[in-house]
């Protein structure tokens, strides 16, 4: 696609969307489409809603966030339902500053950035359109032109409540440029843009001594005082602080609690009363959603300080914990790598999974519940089935530690370690072992890891390694079986037919001859023995399988290879047992004979074609699994 052509199209599109007219004409628009006059909070909520909401196992998924933020579905749901939604309805939370509080690189900035980029797009759509008094540096809401004594009538006619007073600057312009005729005041459609400083503001604390309040609220323009004669003439003032520019939209405060108190008070009055003080003017009305972020340490010391009590009650704190699902963590890394300069590097299958297992473990609390360890908990959180536990148990586990996820290894650390593993290795191809090794080596340099943490983390590296070893062995053994899925399915169905016949005391039909035969005891036992089911326990096991089978049938669900964890394990082991020796010998021989060489090449080809390896990582995998099997 020709980039210049795209730029041109964008510009033309913008031209088309442009609108300007008198206030009288604007009122016609308001009458037809009252949403153009909605508050900033309401616009943000409608933007989130308009992207769509899905429901998955009772969990609401907001699509606005779900392409970028992974594993934080319930956090996002809470954010929307406890803040954005009620704030849109003009409930009291709107008057509080939204403070996202969470551990480093846990996605706080990403959430805010999504909102900012989202608004830029949304204000270019019909539903998200915003209009402002033309030429106003604060893009003031045109409805402020309606005098206070007529607002009750306006509400009766239009159903819209107007908040805030006309700013001193527009007051003056109304008198001087329009002779007081509000119907003639020019109005234009505006498009939010952080770059152009429209509707989106960002504030980052710098050195508290040198930071100037003008950054927030604008300042006197000394060069024009002579022209206007007085410092209190609004034309001699530049309304170009971040709070001015963010009017009608969103104002982000990075590291809010690092700010000097005098800055914080401005924010409070803005969020609480909807106005702030600038220069020598009467209070200036502004309508903006204030969203700030901070980490937990700073937050704790902030609330520990008695002086901050009043501020504290006007902030609504939303915890943003780390993701606790291994699969979602993998997606986070994939996304971060895609956005980085490592995108060209081959990352062997399961390398990111191994890292994700490690990170998630460092974030989890050790469960108190009987019969469950941290690895099982990790699996349950990720939605895997763990024999003997169900979704009720998962809820109970979550309740044990309501603040789980506020500490542990952060995604940025993992990405940094992956990138240093890449630098260390000459070929642009890394595997799980490279990644785990690099994660381990980096622990010493990590600024916030205590010696106790380190010991725990080393153990988690070891667990991640064991998990990976299993995955690696399975992968290679699968690659040795011609068409693994098919073979597993056939064996499973065969087993189920026999179990059914056994439990119902029926005969089984030979598929070839149609002859009736008793169930194949030898086949059933050869599978059950793989997972240590004794002769005495076999009947109970078979009945359990049959119950599961009919439960699935009743719910209209298909019973397959993954429907019963232990059975899956048994089938897999049975398939592997049959070729264990072949795998072991073939992968570890130093001098393969012709037949072995052929097999190795076949397996490597399958790993590359079907499992996503490249030739480096496939060869590394075979060598590693060979060493594992010969231990
Ligand atoms: N749950 C998540 N889903 C998707 N990406 C995530 C998630 N958590 C972290 N990330 C990614 O990690 C990186 C760091 O996230 P971000 O900068 O948003 O964190 P932060 O909470 O603002 O951190 P800090 O406290 O260091 O400012 C980003 O690339 C972000 O996309
Ligand atoms: Mg950040």
């Amino acid at each position: 696609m020709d980039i210049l052509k795209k730029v041109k199209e964008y510009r033309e599109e913008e031209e088309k969307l442009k609108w300007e007219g008198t206030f009288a004409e604007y009122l016609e628009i308001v009458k037809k489409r009252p949403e153009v006059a909605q508050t900033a909070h309401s616009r943000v909520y409608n933007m989130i809603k308009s992207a769509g909401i899905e429901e998955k196992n009772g969990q609401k998924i907001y699509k606005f966030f779900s392409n970028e933020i992974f594993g934080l579905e319930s956090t996002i749901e809470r954010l929307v339902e406890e803040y954005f939604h009620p704030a849109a309805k003009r409930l009291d939370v709107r008057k509080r500053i939204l403070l996202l509080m969470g551990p480093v690189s846990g996605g706080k900035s990403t959430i805010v950035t999504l909102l900012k980029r989202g608004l830029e797009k949304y204000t270019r759509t019909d539903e998200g359109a915003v209009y402002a008094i033309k030429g106003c540096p604060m893009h003031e809401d045109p409805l402020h032109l309606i005098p206070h004594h007529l607002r009750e009538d306006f509400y009766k006619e239009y159903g819209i409540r107007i908040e805030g007073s006309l700013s001193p600057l527009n007051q003056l312009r109304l008198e001087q440029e329009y002779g007081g005729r509000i119907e003639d005041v020019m109005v234009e459609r505006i498009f939010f843009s952080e770059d152009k400083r429209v509707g989106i503001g960002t504030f980052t604390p710098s050195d508290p001594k040198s930071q100037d309040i003008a950054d927030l609220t604008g300042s006197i323009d000394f060069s024009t005082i002579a022209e206007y004669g007085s410092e209190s003439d609004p034309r001699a003032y530049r309304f170009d602080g971040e709070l001015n520019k963010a009017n009608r939209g969103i104002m982000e405060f990075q590291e809010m609690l690092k700010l000097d108190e005098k800055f914080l008070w401005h924010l409070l009055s803005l969020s609480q009363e909807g106005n702030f003080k600038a220069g020598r003017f009467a209070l200036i009305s502004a309508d903006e959603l204030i969203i700030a972020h901070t980490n937990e340490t700073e937050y704790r010391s902030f609330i520990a300080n008695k002086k901050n009590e009043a501020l504290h009650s006007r902030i609504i704190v939303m915890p943003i914990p780390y993701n606790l699902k291994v699969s979602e963590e993998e997606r986070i890394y994939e996304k971060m790598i895609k956005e980085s300069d490592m995108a060209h590097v081959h990352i062997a299958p399961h390398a990111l999974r191994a890292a994700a297992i490690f990170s998630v473990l460092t974030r989890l609390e050790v469960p108190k519940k009987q019969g469950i360890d941290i690895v099982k908990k990790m699996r349950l959180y990720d939605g895997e089935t763990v024999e003997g536990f169900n979704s009720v148990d998962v809820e109970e586990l979550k309740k044990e530690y309501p603040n789980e996820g506020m500490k542990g290894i952060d995604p940025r650390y993992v990405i940094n370690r992956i990138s240093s593993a890449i630098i260390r290795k000459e070929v642009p191809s890394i595997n799980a072992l490279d990644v785990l090794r690099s994660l381990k080596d980096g622990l010493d340099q990590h600024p916030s890891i205590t010696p106790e943490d380190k010991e725990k983390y080393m153990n988690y590296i070891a667990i991640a390694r064991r998990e990976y070893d299993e995955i690696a062995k399975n992968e290679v053994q699968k690659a040795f079986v011609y068409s693994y899925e098919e073979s597993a399915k056939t064996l499973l169905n065969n087993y189920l037919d026999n179990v059914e016949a056994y439990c119902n005391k029926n005969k089984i039909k030979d598929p070839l001859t149609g002859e009736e035969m008793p169930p194949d005891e030898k086949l059933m036992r050869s599978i059950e023995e793989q997972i240590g089911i004794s002769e005495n326990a076999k009947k109970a096991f078979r009945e359990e399988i049959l119950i599961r089978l009919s439960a699935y049938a009743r719910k209209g669900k298909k019973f397959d290879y993954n429907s019963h964890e232990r059975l899956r394990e048994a089938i897999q082991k049975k398939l592997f047992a049959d070729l264990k020796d072949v795998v072991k010998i073939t992968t570890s021989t130093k001098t393969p004979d012709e037949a072995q060489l052929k097999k190795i090449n076949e397996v490597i080809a399958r790993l590359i074609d079907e499992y996503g390896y490249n030739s480096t990582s496939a060869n590394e995998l075979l060598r590693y699994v060979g060493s594992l099997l010969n231990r």
Side-chain angles (χ1 to χ4, degrees):
M1 183 65 179
D2 182 355
I3 192 72
L4 291 178
K5 197 169 144 214
K6 273 196 169 170
V7 172
K8 184 159 167 269
E9 275 171 14
Y10 191 82
R11 209 170 40 231
E12 285 169 358
E13 182 72 27
E14 183 132 274
E15 277 308 312
K16 250 193 276 165
L17 292 176
K18 273 190 182 157
W19 180 91
E20 75 173 58
T22 61
F23 183 62
E25 287 165 330
Y26 174 64
L27 282 183
E28 291 303 311
I29 298 181
V30 173
K31 194 163 245 165
K32 270 189 238 133
R33 297 182 9 235
E35 70 273 14
V36 299
Q38 65 191 320
T39 62
H41 290 82
S42 161
R43 189 171 288 107
V44 169
Y45 174 65
N46 283 323
M47 163 181 82
I48 294 171
K49 213 173 62 174
S50 74
I53 306 167
E54 271 174 10
E55 196 149 331
K56 218 170 172 179
N57 307 328
Q59 168 74 65
K60 279 215 182 94
I61 310 221
Y62 287 89
K63 293 218 242 165
F64 181 81
F65 295 99
S66 62
N67 281 337
E68 293 280 338
I69 297 285
F70 306 135
L72 297 186
E73 294 78 12
S74 47
T75 302
I76 296 285
E77 181 174 1
R78 190 168 160 206
L79 192 59
V80 177
E81 292 191 349
E82 288 180 23
Y83 188 80
F84 292 125
H85 191 187
K89 299 207 146 139
R90 302 189 187 228
L91 295 177
D92 210 51
V93 284
R94 179 171 70 119
K95 298 196 168 159
R96 292 202 248 156
I97 295 174
L98 173 62
L99 178 63
L100 308 180
M101 189 261 292
V104 288
S105 102
K108 302 182 292 297
S109 299
T110 310
I111 291 175
V112 180
T113 306
L114 276 173
L115 292 170
K116 295 201 286 191
R117 293 297 88 79
L119 273 181
E120 291 178 341
K121 278 205 208 119
Y122 193 57
T123 55
R124 302 168 67 91
T125 66
D126 288 347
E127 319 83 79
V130 194
Y131 295 80
I133 294 177
K134 192 174 177 217
C136 170
M138 283 183 65
H139 2 276
E140 183 161 17
D141 184 349
L143 294 183
H144 283 181
L145 289 163
I146 307 260
H148 282 275
H149 67 273
L150 293 179
R151 289 188 179 178
E152 202 45 49
D153 293 341
F154 182 84
Y155 176 65
K156 280 191 198 123
E157 192 177 339
Y158 287 79
I160 295 171
R161 285 219 182 277
I162 305 171
E163 287 171 29
S165 312
L166 193 61
S167 69
L169 180 64
N170 286 322
Q171 193 75 52
L172 189 76
R173 289 179 59 206
L174 174 62
E175 295 310 323
Q176 298 200 335
E177 292 173 33
Y178 299 102
R181 290 183 314 276
I182 64 168
E183 61 274 30
D184 293 345
V185 174
M186 291 305 285
V187 171
E188 65 180 348
R189 181 166 178 189
I190 56 169
F191 306 97
F192 287 2
S193 156
E194 182 161 27
D195 294 341
K196 294 186 184 153
R197 304 188 71 217
V198 180
I200 294 171
T202 307
F203 193 77
T204 321
S206 58
D207 176 11
K209 282 192 205 72
S210 64
Q211 189 141 44
D212 190 349
I213 200 83
D215 296 350
L216 273 187
T217 59
S219 59
I220 296 281
D221 183 351
F222 288 101
S223 66
T224 57
I225 294 180
E227 188 183 335
Y228 298 115
S230 152
E231 272 189 33
S232 49
D233 188 308
R235 288 167 301 179
Y237 194 88
R238 274 203 301 255
F239 294 91
D240 64 352
E242 293 297 323
L243 288 180
N244 307 111
K245 294 299 171 188
N247 188 26
R248 317 293 301 282
I250 202 170
M251 176 71 209
E252 174 191 14
F253 276 86
Q254 301 180 337
E255 314 278 349
M256 182 176 91
L257 302 180
K258 286 206 179 91
L259 275 178
D260 201 73
E261 262 173 67
K262 66 173 192 273
F263 289 78
L264 287 178
W265 284 107
H266 271 283
L267 290 190
L268 284 179
S269 117
L270 175 56
S271 62
Q272 191 75 12
E273 333 290 348
N275 53 39
F276 63 93
K277 184 94 181 113
R280 299 192 171 174
F281 311 112
L283 292 165
I284 294 179
S285 303
D287 168 32
E288 43 202 271
L289 189 154
I290 303 177
I291 182 164
H293 34 102
T294 188
N295 63 43
E296 198 171 7
T297 326
E298 240 147 42
Y299 176 69
R300 297 263 165 254
S301 70
F302 172 78
I303 51 171
N305 187 345
K306 272 261 176 277
K307 251 177 33 195
N308 292 330
E309 242 165 38
L311 286 167
H312 183 209
S313 66
R314 295 178 197 176
I315 292 175
I316 183 157
V317 182
M318 281 285 161
I320 309 290
Y322 286 136
N323 153 56
L324 298 176
K325 297 178 185 147
V326 173
S327 324
E328 299 294 324
E329 190 69 10
E330 270 186 274
R331 291 179 70 198
I332 297 178
Y333 303 156
E334 277 162 16
K335 179 188 80 171
M336 290 172 81
I337 288 172
K338 212 161 73 204
E339 289 165 357
S340 76
D341 52 5
M342 304 186 268
H344 65 286
V345 175
H346 171 77
I347 297 187
H350 315 299
L352 298 183
R353 184 162 195 90
I357 290 174
F358 166 68
S359 322
V360 169
L361 285 172
T362 66
R363 298 169 189 170
L364 292 180
E365 303 284 351
V366 177
K368 298 176 193 153
K369 202 177 166 68
Q370 283 279 310
I372 194 151
D373 60 14
I374 197 163
V375 175
K376 280 190 187 150
K377 175 171 170 173
M378 172 187 86
R379 298 221 163 95
L380 283 169
Y381 271 21
D382 200 16
E384 281 184 47
T385 43
V386 174
E387 214 54 40
F389 297 95
N390 57 31
S391 56
V392 178
D393 297 298
V394 180
E395 287 316 306
E396 278 177 24
L397 283 171
K398 285 186 182 157
K399 287 208 189 88
E400 282 182 1
Y401 300 97
N403 295 323
E404 200 167 29
M406 298 302 269
K407 58 181 186 46
I409 286 290
D410 60 292
R412 214 177 274 130
Y413 171 78
V414 175
I415 296 301
N416 289 344
R417 295 314 300 169
I418 291 178
S419 103
S420 83
I422 291 170
I423 293 166
R424 192 148 7 115
K425 214 168 158 182
E426 268 132 37
V427 278
S429 162
I430 59 164
N431 61 37
L433 298 174
D434 299 323
V435 172
L436 287 177
R437 197 178 307 117
S438 180
L439 284 170
K440 188 169 120 200
D441 294 346
L443 290 179
D444 286 327
Q445 299 153 25
H446 198 294
S448 59
I449 294 180
T450 62
E452 298 93 79
D453 281 342
K454 193 183 161 194
E455 208 181 299
K456 266 200 299 189
Y457 289 5
M458 293 299 255
N459 181 34
Y460 293 146
I461 298 256
I463 296 180
R465 163 94 185 257
R466 279 203 294 280
E467 294 284 306
Y468 171 70
D469 287 354
E470 279 311 303
I471 298 174
K473 272 191 279 187
N474 282 346
E475 190 112 294
V476 169
Q477 302 192 81
K478 269 189 190 175
F480 264 85
V481 185
Y482 175 75
S483 181
Y484 177 82
E485 298 297 328
E486 275 304 305
S487 313
K489 205 163 111 190
T490 313
L491 189 58
L492 173 78
N493 287 337
N494 212 341
Y495 178 76
L496 292 178
D497 287 344
N498 280 290
V499 163
E500 216 164 5
Y502 168 88
C503 293
N504 299 333
K505 306 202 165 49
N506 279 343
K507 298 232 166 200
I508 195 161
K509 230 186 207 149
D510 185 295
L512 281 182
T513 59
E515 194 184 328
E516 300 241 311
M517 304 177 305
D520 186 346
E521 192 57 34
K522 205 166 141 226
L523 174 90
M524 287 186 286
R525 287 307 290 148
S526 75
I527 290 171
E528 289 153 3
E529 276 161 3
Q530 300 293 336
I531 49 169
I533 288 173
S534 68
E535 193 59 36
N536 289 334
K538 73 178 186 195
K539 185 157 180 277
F541 182 75
R542 290 172 192 174
E543 280 163 0
E544 179 191 319
I545 297 286
L546 203 65
I547 289 169
R548 180 75 59 96
L549 199 61
S550 60
Y552 267 65
R554 209 171 44 239
K555 288 186 202 149
K557 284 207 296 187
K558 193 171 145 41
F559 187 97
D560 67 13
Y561 176 64
N562 289 314
S563 307
H564 192 286
E565 170 118 8
R566 292 186 69 215
L567 183 57
R568 176 178 68 183
E569 192 186 331
I571 297 274
Q572 185 168 58
K573 282 193 167 154
K574 167 74 179 136
L575 284 174
F576 292 170
D578 296 347
L579 28 95
K580 185 150 186 223
D581 292 335
V582 185
V583 177
K584 195 162 148 180
I585 293 165
T586 320
T587 51
S588 57
T589 174
K590 296 234 159 44
T591 49
D593 60 29
E594 203 173 312
Q596 284 169 336
L597 207 57
K598 186 163 165 264
K599 188 75 197 169
I600 289 176
N601 288 335
E602 198 183 290
V603 168
I604 285 190
R606 201 168 292 141
L607 285 172
I608 295 174
D609 296 342
E610 292 170 28
Y611 294 82
Y613 289 81
N614 71 1
S615 77
T616 312
S617 63
N619 278 291
E620 285 168 348
L621 177 74
L622 274 196
R623 234 176 298 133
Y624 181 61
V625 169
S627 76
L628 282 180
L629 292 176
N630 282 289
R631 269 195 193 150

